[in-house]
Amino acid sequence: MTMQIADSVSLSAPDAKARAHAAAARDNLRTEPRAVRITIIALAMIFLSVFVVLPLVIVFAQAFSKGILAFFAALAEPEALAAIKLTLLVAAISVGLNLVFGLVAAWAIAKFEFQGKTFLITLIDLPFSVSPVISGLVFVLLFGAQGYFGGWLRDHDIQILFAVPGIALATTFVTFPFVARALIPLMQEQGTQEEEAAVSLGASGLQTFFRVTLPNIKWGVLYGVLLCNARAMGEFGAVSVVSGHIRGETNTMPLLVEILYNEYQFVAAFAIASLLAMLALITLIAKTVLERHLDEGHDASDH
Amino acid sequence: MTIEVRNLVKKFGGFAALDGVGLKVNDGELLALLGPSGSGKTTLLRIIAGLDWPDAGEVSFNGEDALAQGARERHVGFVFQHYALFRHMTVFENVAFGLRVQPRAIRKDEATIRVRVKELLDLVQLDWLSDRYPSQLSGGQRQRIALARALAIEPRILLLDEPFGALDAKVRKELRKWLRSLHHEINVTSIFVTHDQEEALEVANRVVVMDKGRIEQIGSPDDVYERPASAFVHGFIGESIELPVQVEGGVVRLGDQPLRLAADGLAPGASRLFVRRHDMLVGPSGSGAFEGAVQHVRNFGPVQRAEIALSGGETIEIDAPRGRELRAGDTIGLEPRRYRIFAG
Amino acid sequence: MGLTLSWLSVIILIPLAGLFLKSLELSPEQFWNILTSRRTLNALRVSFGLAFAAACVNLVMGSIIVWALVRYRFPGRRLFDAIVDVPFALPTAVAGVALTALFAEKGWLGAPLAAAGIKVAFTPVGIFVAMIFIGIPFVVRTVQPVLQDLDPEIEEAAGSLGASRWQTIIRVILPSLAPALLTGLALAFARAVGEYGSVIFIAGNLPNVSEIAPLLIVIRLSEFRYADATAIAVVMLVVSFVIIFAVNRLQRWAQSRIPAR
């Protein structure tokens, strides 16, 4: 049968057929012509290169533009060291506070039903969508000389604004959502069954928390802390409003970048900036690794 | 529209989803592709639709080479297992989609489209749902809308992938009858894929049984049930007793016991004997091809299901009619009313 | 539990309430005068106008990036995927000085652009560029999971019904992504409106021309004109509220269309 067909058509026919099949097959329903694909990939790569890769590269290029010695000399300046110290201190305070706040908030939202829950979630998100300058402003309005608590603070000789407490407060406010945001979906997904089981087996509230709840969310906690820390160290707008820019005292690293840059000390400004950029890159790498852990946890709970 | 498939081969990595499949579908037929998962039935359906491409082989519609056309030109109506309804469109817009995307030159005007969609929704008896969104429909309703949408383009062929797979048992039974009568009404050459033998036997004119990328048997529902062409088909369709036997010099042996069964025309060597459970007739000890002891009996309405230890050492389950009650401990004779022996 | 919750809301609510209380000290007339002063109006116009333009650019480019990352395989795909998050992670001040260095008249990109007669740094164009930078992750990260989860069968269904690839994209894929695209647009816009650190270095900060609203707040604060600062902040805060509210509604609406499978 097939023999007859093969005999009855010319020799070139199978070739033509194969070509027609190949052409029809290329017309896949779920992708685009090759030229379109290449254009889209090229557009995406060029856009990301210009707007993201180049700015990153230029930070390091400028930091090392006068050689490696100038770079380290800039970092060894007392002003730079003071800024680094202050940044680490502020980050430690705000990460610590937000770890507690975030755990409590996520716990309350994920495990309990109560009125005003949606409102609370919106509230937690708020610092994300408010201009950092406004976040700083509200603290000035509260604790500033003309602020609501300004007089009381002056009477008791407590300095909040233009000092470390103000910077820490503003940073905590701005980074508030990170830990809670990372934990809420995780805790919601895990539900309350395991905890109820633990309680029914006689565990106390704290035992339940440390032995059952926490191990389940440890990667999520780490994820939230990581992002919280990155933002805390890098926060500029809010801190700029409340810090008072006292050199060597209330300048964090980002604020010092601004001051040095405005004084045309480019190498020094970019040296500090490159440290912050490194922090961002390390955060991104750690984030990718953590996301893989979180995905695995997710898969494991699926099966 | 007739469909002819010749020598299709499709490999995914090292796995041959289709391994030389040939098939002819007659005009107006309602054909079932039946097989376990991984047998290649869905791949075959997708290749006919133009959603997948074979590594070798041919597909023709009415003698025309179908592989030279993409899915868009083939005019094949495809109903997906999970319906693939457009969830941002109303039921009406879903059904109208195929008409709205036609090239401007042949696109019908809005009034004609409305009339046509209305007809289709009437056909699937769901015109009262036309303003709903897919998320507001039940599974059975979604299935029928998906079918109406596929029919809107006046397909030359209708292909359905596990059309009832995602539905619960009751809806599934209703839709089977409905699909049969709908096919009778529209009379479009149709192929549906299923892993459910009951579905295939009840709905289709002809059944194609597939396994491991090959066609095991093509025949009417009666054919594949009554006259299975291979050990696989016998085992897959209906409830069967399977016994390893030896064919030697015109004698069939189970273990070392010769059975009183005709062995004419059978190749010597290791073989498999298949008997339907209800084809094992019970008689007094000494009658019939097998001897056995009743181990355990359960009653299922009109039948009693008995577990029987054959004297050859095998244990089988038979379905015997009520009336002559079996009791555990009885020694009985068994005679297969019908049986098949396959080599290998 | 109730106590912790109220305590939590207090931490966020007290500062914001302070802001609104402060603005209440102004008479409506004063409030109106502050907002309609030429400098304030211009600052708001620059912030909102450029933020919207930048969010639109991010909508288009974000869609292209998502499509490339999800649908195509190319060398460096994973790297580019990770890079999208850089504007999230990079401190804004660093981004600000870097973009300024890049687009300054003698910068790597500024020099060729200047030769072409386009001045970026220290003009409103610079603000626009910085706002694009910080908005990149929003559209990409909101649309990416939705495109990834899009059922491949709906594209096959559209194709088998005769739709061309273009028709499938316009009529089937884009409408399915629309809620995510709009959410991404809104988030990018909200972020760009309030952005301070990455913008002020490249902006030039010329009153009425390239001065953004957050900077004007800072300036008013340093002049101890708290009322002015508060009035501008209240307007921006209200806009943020409206955007969050809209995004939440959008998400709920999108979810209601997803069939429970």
Side-chain angles (χ1 to χ4, degrees), chain A residues 29 32 51 126 129 131 287, chain C residues 16 72 85 133 165 194 240 244:
Chain A
L29 292 177
E32 291 73 41
F51 278 93
L126 205 65
S129 38
S131 175
K287 175 171 164 283
Chain C
L16 294 177
Y72 305 145
D85 280 332
F133 170 83
R165 185 64 187 153
S240 297
I244 301 184

Side-chain angles (χ1 to χ4, degrees), chain A residues 130-131 133-138 141, chain C residues 16 19-20 22-23 31 34-35 40 44 48 193 213-214 216-218 220-221 226-241:
Chain A
V130 169
S131 175
V133 167
I134 297 180
S135 304
L137 166 71
V138 296
L141 294 182
Chain C
L16 294 177
L19 183 66
F20 280 100
K22 189 81 192 172
S23 74
F31 193 81
I34 291 169
L35 287 187
T40 314
L44 288 172
F48 282 98
V193 165
L216 189 57
I217 294 178
V218 173
R220 291 302 186 225
L221 270 181
Y226 285 7
D228 293 54
T230 309
I232 303 169
V234 164
V235 170
M236 296 185 67
L237 202 57
V238 167
V239 172
S240 297
F241 271 128

